[in-house]
Amino acid sequence: MSYNKTASITAETINPRVKTFNYEPRGEIATLAERLQEELKKNPGSRPFQEIIYCNLGNPQALGQRPITFFREVLSLCDNPTLLHRDEARMLFSPCAIKRARKIIEAMPGRDSGPYTPSQGIRSLRQSVADGISGRDGYPSTPEHIFLTDGASSAINLTMQMLIRSEEDGILCPLPEYPLYSASIILHGGTMVPYNLSEARDWGLEIFEVKRSLEEARISGLTVRAMVVINPGNPTGQVLSITNQEEIVEFCRKEGLVILADEVYQDNVYVEDKKFNSFKKVARSLGYSEDDISIVSYHSASMGYYGECGRRGGYMEICGFGEGVIGVIRKVASVTLCPNIGGQILTSLVMDTPKVGDDCFERFLAEKENIHSSLVKRAKTLEDAFCSLEGVTCNKIEGAIYLFPRIHLPAAAIKAAKIEGVSPDIFYACRLLDNAGIAVVPGSGFHQISGRNRASGTWHIRCTILPGEDKINEMIPRLKAFHEAFMNEFRDRN
C-alpha cells in the first residue's frame, strides 16, 4: 500500500506561525545548561565549577524557596479528604487549615478533587478571589467576572484569542517584553505593536512613546485593540508610579483601548517609595466605571512569596465587557473543560490568606515576611554586583524577580559574535554559562529594543534573584572572575 508523502507533517508543512516565535527563557541557554549539568554528573571536576546556578527562569521553588505551610496543608487535605475523619489530622494540620479545607471540599463537585469543575472555576473559589480583590482595591469585584485559569499564561492566551481577528489587529506591547505576549499574538494571527520603555529613566513608561507607536500603527492600517502593561515589570523590574498609571488609564480610555494588566508580581515590591496599585483601582479612583474603560487583569500563584509555579494556578478579572462578550469567553473556556482544581484552590488561598486571630496567622506571616526580606537582600546584593562590573550598568530593581543589566561589550566581542552567527548578548550568555556555570537569559529574547532603534546596539541579560542567599554569594565571585577575563580577552584584540 502506498501513501501520499506530501500529505505527511514535516517542518516545512506545519503551521508557519509556530515556527515564527521564540521563547528564549526555555531556549538555547536552558538546553545548554541541562547538557552541562549532565556532563558534571558523569564527569565531576570536568569544569571549573561543581554545579549550574540557574538564574534564567522565574521558578522559585526549584531554586530553594520553601512553600507556605498553610497552602500545602489545605491542598493536602483537599486531595485526601478522608484525613479529616482521622484523629491524627489535628496533630498534623492546623485547625485553620482543617477549617478552610472543609469549606473548599464542600464546594467541590462530588466533594473530591478529581472531577471536572465548571469551566470558569468553582464559584465559591471565585468568590474568594473576588473578595480578595475587593479587599485589596477598596472597590467591589464579583465572581461572575473572575475566570480561574491554568496560570496567568492560559488567561493571556484566551484574551488574545478573543481580541485578535486577523493580522490587521494590533496589540501594544512594551519592549523589553515578556515573550509570552509576542508568541501569543503571533499564534493567534495578530500583529504586535511595540512601544519602548526608557532605560535612561529606570525603564519608565512614557506616554508620548506609546502615542507614537499607536499613531504609526494606525497609519500603517492596523486596528490597535489593546495595550499590555506589565507592572511590576518583567524583565525590567520597575514599579509604575500611580501618576504614570493614571496617564495610561486616561490614554487608553481616550483611544478606546483595552488595558491588559499583567499584575502577577504584585507581591514582589522591594522599595519603600513605591507600592502596587492595580489598574482597576486606579481607574475607579479616577471616577471611571466599567462603562468607561475595559480592563483585563491577570494574577498567578507562581510568583510572589508563594512561588507555586507547577500548580498552574491563576485568574483573570474582566471589567468593562458586556454580558454577551463574557458569555462567549465562557464558551471558549469550556473547550478545555476546566482549569486544574489544585490551581483553583491555591489561587483562592493566595487571595484569601489567614487573618489576624486565626491560629495559623503568625506562622503564615513569619513565612511570608522571611521570603520577602530575603528577596530584598538578594535583589540588592546582585544589583550591587552587576553595577561593580566594568562596562555594565544596571537599573535599580524595584519589583518582580529580575535584574536586566546592560552590558557594554567591546567591539572585538561583537565581531566575534558575528563570526559565530549569534547576537552579542547570546555570545556573552553562552560564555558565562560555559565558563562560570551561571545560566541567564540573553536580552534579545525579550526584544530589548524595537527595530527602528536597532542601530543603537544595546545588549542585556536577564538574571533572576531567586537562587538562595548562599548560592548568590557563591555565584558573585564566579561572575566577577568571568566578566573580568571576558573583557580582558576581547579588549586585547582591539
Side-chain angles (χ1 to χ4, degrees), residues 201-219:
R201 297 192 177 183
D202 299 322
W203 297 116
L205 190 162
E206 298 172 318
I207 286 296
F208 71 82
E209 163 65 13
V210 185
K211 286 180 180 176
R212 177 201 63 77
S213 294
L214 177 63
E215 289 167 3
E216 288 184 1
R218 285 175 171 169
I219 289 170

PDB file of all heavy atoms in Angstrom, residues 201-219:
ATOM      1  N   ARG A 201      15.450  56.248  32.019  1.00  0.00           N
ATOM      2  CA  ARG A 201      14.537  56.704  33.078  1.00  0.00           C
ATOM      3  C   ARG A 201      14.035  55.512  33.887  1.00  0.00           C
ATOM      4  O   ARG A 201      12.844  55.395  34.183  1.00  0.00           O
ATOM      5  CB  ARG A 201      13.382  57.491  32.484  1.00  0.00           C
ATOM      6  CG  ARG A 201      13.850  58.766  31.778  1.00  0.00           C
ATOM      7  CD  ARG A 201      12.718  59.684  31.447  1.00  0.00           C
ATOM      8  NE  ARG A 201      13.208  60.911  30.833  1.00  0.00           N
ATOM      9  CZ  ARG A 201      12.434  61.933  30.494  1.00  0.00           C
ATOM     10  NH1 ARG A 201      11.130  61.865  30.720  1.00  0.00           N
ATOM     11  NH2 ARG A 201      12.942  63.011  29.950  1.00  0.00           N
ATOM     12  N   ASP A 202      14.966  54.623  34.217  1.00  0.00           N
ATOM     13  CA  ASP A 202      14.663  53.459  35.062  1.00  0.00           C
ATOM     14  C   ASP A 202      13.538  52.602  34.495  1.00  0.00           C
ATOM     15  O   ASP A 202      12.668  52.125  35.218  1.00  0.00           O
ATOM     16  CB  ASP A 202      14.325  53.900  36.492  1.00  0.00           C
ATOM     17  CG  ASP A 202      15.486  54.618  37.146  1.00  0.00           C
ATOM     18  OD1 ASP A 202      16.637  54.213  36.922  1.00  0.00           O
ATOM     19  OD2 ASP A 202      15.246  55.613  37.865  1.00  0.00           O
ATOM     20  N   TRP A 203      13.570  52.402  33.194  1.00  0.00           N
ATOM     21  CA  TRP A 203      12.579  51.600  32.483  1.00  0.00           C
ATOM     22  C   TRP A 203      11.169  52.170  32.636  1.00  0.00           C
ATOM     23  O   TRP A 203      10.184  51.439  32.685  1.00  0.00           O
ATOM     24  CB  TRP A 203      12.606  50.136  32.928  1.00  0.00           C
ATOM     25  CG  TRP A 203      13.907  49.455  32.640  1.00  0.00           C
ATOM     26  CD1 TRP A 203      14.797  48.955  33.530  1.00  0.00           C
ATOM     27  CD2 TRP A 203      14.472  49.198  31.339  1.00  0.00           C
ATOM     28  NE1 TRP A 203      15.893  48.412  32.884  1.00  0.00           N
ATOM     29  CE2 TRP A 203      15.712  48.543  31.539  1.00  0.00           C
ATOM     30  CE3 TRP A 203      14.054  49.456  30.035  1.00  0.00           C
ATOM     31  CZ2 TRP A 203      16.529  48.146  30.480  1.00  0.00           C
ATOM     32  CZ3 TRP A 203      14.877  49.049  28.991  1.00  0.00           C
ATOM     33  CH2 TRP A 203      16.089  48.410  29.216  1.00  0.00           C
ATOM     34  N   GLY A 204      11.089  53.479  32.685  1.00  0.00           N
ATOM     35  CA  GLY A 204       9.787  54.120  32.801  1.00  0.00           C
ATOM     36  C   GLY A 204       8.986  54.027  31.515  1.00  0.00           C
ATOM     37  O   GLY A 204       9.528  53.895  30.418  1.00  0.00           O
ATOM     38  N   LEU A 205       7.667  54.094  31.653  1.00  0.00           N
ATOM     39  CA  LEU A 205       6.753  54.070  30.515  1.00  0.00           C
ATOM     40  C   LEU A 205       6.360  55.508  30.215  1.00  0.00           C
ATOM     41  O   LEU A 205       5.783  56.190  31.062  1.00  0.00           O
ATOM     42  CB  LEU A 205       5.535  53.214  30.861  1.00  0.00           C
ATOM     43  CG  LEU A 205       4.552  52.862  29.747  1.00  0.00           C
ATOM     44  CD1 LEU A 205       3.697  51.673  30.171  1.00  0.00           C
ATOM     45  CD2 LEU A 205       3.648  54.022  29.370  1.00  0.00           C
ATOM     46  N   GLU A 206       6.675  55.966  29.007  1.00  0.00           N
ATOM     47  CA  GLU A 206       6.406  57.349  28.624  1.00  0.00           C
ATOM     48  C   GLU A 206       5.264  57.382  27.617  1.00  0.00           C
ATOM     49  O   GLU A 206       5.338  56.766  26.550  1.00  0.00           O
ATOM     50  CB  GLU A 206       7.676  57.983  28.045  1.00  0.00           C
ATOM     51  CG  GLU A 206       8.807  58.034  29.071  1.00  0.00           C
ATOM     52  CD  GLU A 206      10.144  58.483  28.499  1.00  0.00           C
ATOM     53  OE1 GLU A 206      10.484  58.039  27.385  1.00  0.00           O
ATOM     54  OE2 GLU A 206      10.827  59.275  29.162  1.00  0.00           O
ATOM     55  N   ILE A 207       4.217  58.129  27.960  1.00  0.00           N
ATOM     56  CA  ILE A 207       3.014  58.137  27.146  1.00  0.00           C
ATOM     57  C   ILE A 207       3.277  58.643  25.734  1.00  0.00           C
ATOM     58  O   ILE A 207       2.698  58.135  24.763  1.00  0.00           O
ATOM     59  CB  ILE A 207       1.913  58.967  27.831  1.00  0.00           C
ATOM     60  CG1 ILE A 207       1.333  58.175  29.013  1.00  0.00           C
ATOM     61  CG2 ILE A 207       0.797  59.323  26.857  1.00  0.00           C
ATOM     62  CD1 ILE A 207       0.621  56.891  28.623  1.00  0.00           C
ATOM     63  N   PHE A 208       4.178  59.597  25.573  1.00  0.00           N
ATOM     64  CA  PHE A 208       4.431  60.103  24.218  1.00  0.00           C
ATOM     65  C   PHE A 208       4.993  59.005  23.318  1.00  0.00           C
ATOM     66  O   PHE A 208       4.741  58.988  22.108  1.00  0.00           O
ATOM     67  CB  PHE A 208       5.372  61.322  24.245  1.00  0.00           C
ATOM     68  CG  PHE A 208       6.807  61.015  24.593  1.00  0.00           C
ATOM     69  CD1 PHE A 208       7.705  60.550  23.629  1.00  0.00           C
ATOM     70  CD2 PHE A 208       7.267  61.219  25.888  1.00  0.00           C
ATOM     71  CE1 PHE A 208       9.020  60.284  23.955  1.00  0.00           C
ATOM     72  CE2 PHE A 208       8.587  60.939  26.208  1.00  0.00           C
ATOM     73  CZ  PHE A 208       9.465  60.470  25.239  1.00  0.00           C
ATOM     74  N   GLU A 209       5.752  58.070  23.903  1.00  0.00           N
ATOM     75  CA  GLU A 209       6.294  56.952  23.125  1.00  0.00           C
ATOM     76  C   GLU A 209       5.179  55.985  22.735  1.00  0.00           C
ATOM     77  O   GLU A 209       5.157  55.456  21.617  1.00  0.00           O
ATOM     78  CB  GLU A 209       7.367  56.237  23.941  1.00  0.00           C
ATOM     79  CG  GLU A 209       7.753  54.845  23.467  1.00  0.00           C
ATOM     80  CD  GLU A 209       8.410  54.800  22.096  1.00  0.00           C
ATOM     81  OE1 GLU A 209       8.797  55.864  21.578  1.00  0.00           O
ATOM     82  OE2 GLU A 209       8.529  53.694  21.549  1.00  0.00           O
ATOM     83  N   VAL A 210       4.225  55.777  23.649  1.00  0.00           N
ATOM     84  CA  VAL A 210       3.094  54.897  23.329  1.00  0.00           C
ATOM     85  C   VAL A 210       2.228  55.551  22.240  1.00  0.00           C
ATOM     86  O   VAL A 210       1.770  54.873  21.305  1.00  0.00           O
ATOM     87  CB  VAL A 210       2.252  54.606  24.578  1.00  0.00           C
ATOM     88  CG1 VAL A 210       1.148  53.602  24.260  1.00  0.00           C
ATOM     89  CG2 VAL A 210       3.118  54.075  25.711  1.00  0.00           C
ATOM     90  N   LYS A 211       2.031  56.857  22.341  1.00  0.00           N
ATOM     91  CA  LYS A 211       1.251  57.571  21.325  1.00  0.00           C
ATOM     92  C   LYS A 211       1.912  57.447  19.959  1.00  0.00           C
ATOM     93  O   LYS A 211       1.242  57.251  18.939  1.00  0.00           O
ATOM     94  CB  LYS A 211       1.131  59.053  21.702  1.00  0.00           C
ATOM     95  CG  LYS A 211       0.177  59.343  22.840  1.00  0.00           C
ATOM     96  CD  LYS A 211       0.121  60.833  23.139  1.00  0.00           C
ATOM     97  CE  LYS A 211      -0.837  61.128  24.278  1.00  0.00           C
ATOM     98  NZ  LYS A 211      -0.822  62.583  24.629  1.00  0.00           N
ATOM     99  N   ARG A 212       3.238  57.571  19.918  1.00  0.00           N
ATOM    100  CA  ARG A 212       3.971  57.451  18.657  1.00  0.00           C
ATOM    101  C   ARG A 212       3.713  56.087  18.027  1.00  0.00           C
ATOM    102  O   ARG A 212       3.418  55.975  16.829  1.00  0.00           O
ATOM    103  CB  ARG A 212       5.468  57.648  18.889  1.00  0.00           C
ATOM    104  CG  ARG A 212       6.311  57.458  17.628  1.00  0.00           C
ATOM    105  CD  ARG A 212       7.749  57.152  17.953  1.00  0.00           C
ATOM    106  NE  ARG A 212       7.898  55.901  18.683  1.00  0.00           N
ATOM    107  CZ  ARG A 212       7.827  54.699  18.121  1.00  0.00           C
ATOM    108  NH1 ARG A 212       7.583  54.569  16.827  1.00  0.00           N
ATOM    109  NH2 ARG A 212       7.979  53.611  18.845  1.00  0.00           N
ATOM    110  N   SER A 213       3.833  55.032  18.837  1.00  0.00           N
ATOM    111  CA  SER A 213       3.631  53.681  18.328  1.00  0.00           C
ATOM    112  C   SER A 213       2.202  53.482  17.831  1.00  0.00           C
ATOM    113  O   SER A 213       1.974  52.861  16.785  1.00  0.00           O
ATOM    114  CB  SER A 213       3.948  52.654  19.423  1.00  0.00           C
ATOM    115  OG  SER A 213       5.317  52.682  19.758  1.00  0.00           O
ATOM    116  N   LEU A 214       1.248  54.000  18.584  1.00  0.00           N
ATOM    117  CA  LEU A 214      -0.156  53.867  18.200  1.00  0.00           C
ATOM    118  C   LEU A 214      -0.431  54.575  16.875  1.00  0.00           C
ATOM    119  O   LEU A 214      -1.068  54.014  15.971  1.00  0.00           O
ATOM    120  CB  LEU A 214      -1.056  54.426  19.298  1.00  0.00           C
ATOM    121  CG  LEU A 214      -2.560  54.409  19.004  1.00  0.00           C
ATOM    122  CD1 LEU A 214      -3.067  52.988  18.840  1.00  0.00           C
ATOM    123  CD2 LEU A 214      -3.330  55.132  20.116  1.00  0.00           C
ATOM    124  N   GLU A 215       0.079  55.793  16.742  1.00  0.00           N
ATOM    125  CA  GLU A 215      -0.151  56.566  15.519  1.00  0.00           C
ATOM    126  C   GLU A 215       0.489  55.884  14.308  1.00  0.00           C
ATOM    127  O   GLU A 215      -0.125  55.804  13.234  1.00  0.00           O
ATOM    128  CB  GLU A 215       0.384  57.989  15.690  1.00  0.00           C
ATOM    129  CG  GLU A 215      -0.449  58.830  16.645  1.00  0.00           C
ATOM    130  CD  GLU A 215       0.239  60.123  17.050  1.00  0.00           C
ATOM    131  OE1 GLU A 215       1.354  60.393  16.526  1.00  0.00           O
ATOM    132  OE2 GLU A 215      -0.315  60.855  17.890  1.00  0.00           O
ATOM    133  N   GLU A 216       1.718  55.395  14.474  1.00  0.00           N
ATOM    134  CA  GLU A 216       2.394  54.713  13.370  1.00  0.00           C
ATOM    135  C   GLU A 216       1.632  53.450  12.955  1.00  0.00           C
ATOM    136  O   GLU A 216       1.512  53.148  11.764  1.00  0.00           O
ATOM    137  CB  GLU A 216       3.827  54.359  13.760  1.00  0.00           C
ATOM    138  CG  GLU A 216       4.761  55.550  13.830  1.00  0.00           C
ATOM    139  CD  GLU A 216       6.202  55.145  14.117  1.00  0.00           C
ATOM    140  OE1 GLU A 216       6.481  53.934  14.236  1.00  0.00           O
ATOM    141  OE2 GLU A 216       7.054  56.048  14.224  1.00  0.00           O
ATOM    142  N   ALA A 217       1.117  52.729  13.941  1.00  0.00           N
ATOM    143  CA  ALA A 217       0.368  51.506  13.640  1.00  0.00           C
ATOM    144  C   ALA A 217      -0.912  51.831  12.879  1.00  0.00           C
ATOM    145  O   ALA A 217      -1.271  51.144  11.911  1.00  0.00           O
ATOM    146  CB  ALA A 217       0.044  50.769  14.932  1.00  0.00           C
ATOM    147  N   ARG A 218      -1.604  52.872  13.298  1.00  0.00           N
ATOM    148  CA  ARG A 218      -2.848  53.238  12.623  1.00  0.00           C
ATOM    149  C   ARG A 218      -2.591  53.726  11.200  1.00  0.00           C
ATOM    150  O   ARG A 218      -3.354  53.412  10.285  1.00  0.00           O
ATOM    151  CB  ARG A 218      -3.580  54.297  13.444  1.00  0.00           C
ATOM    152  CG  ARG A 218      -4.242  53.709  14.695  1.00  0.00           C
ATOM    153  CD  ARG A 218      -4.857  54.766  15.584  1.00  0.00           C
ATOM    154  NE  ARG A 218      -5.652  54.150  16.655  1.00  0.00           N
ATOM    155  CZ  ARG A 218      -6.143  54.821  17.707  1.00  0.00           C
ATOM    156  NH1 ARG A 218      -5.914  56.132  17.814  1.00  0.00           N
ATOM    157  NH2 ARG A 218      -6.836  54.191  18.627  1.00  0.00           N
ATOM    158  N   ILE A 219      -1.507  54.478  11.010  1.00  0.00           N
ATOM    159  CA  ILE A 219      -1.154  54.936   9.666  1.00  0.00           C
ATOM    160  C   ILE A 219      -0.875  53.755   8.747  1.00  0.00           C
ATOM    161  O   ILE A 219      -1.202  53.771   7.553  1.00  0.00           O
ATOM    162  CB  ILE A 219       0.075  55.887   9.731  1.00  0.00           C
ATOM    163  CG1 ILE A 219      -0.334  57.217  10.375  1.00  0.00           C
ATOM    164  CG2 ILE A 219       0.668  56.130   8.343  1.00  0.00           C
ATOM    165  CD1 ILE A 219       0.831  58.125  10.708  1.00  0.00           C
TER     166      ILE A 219
END
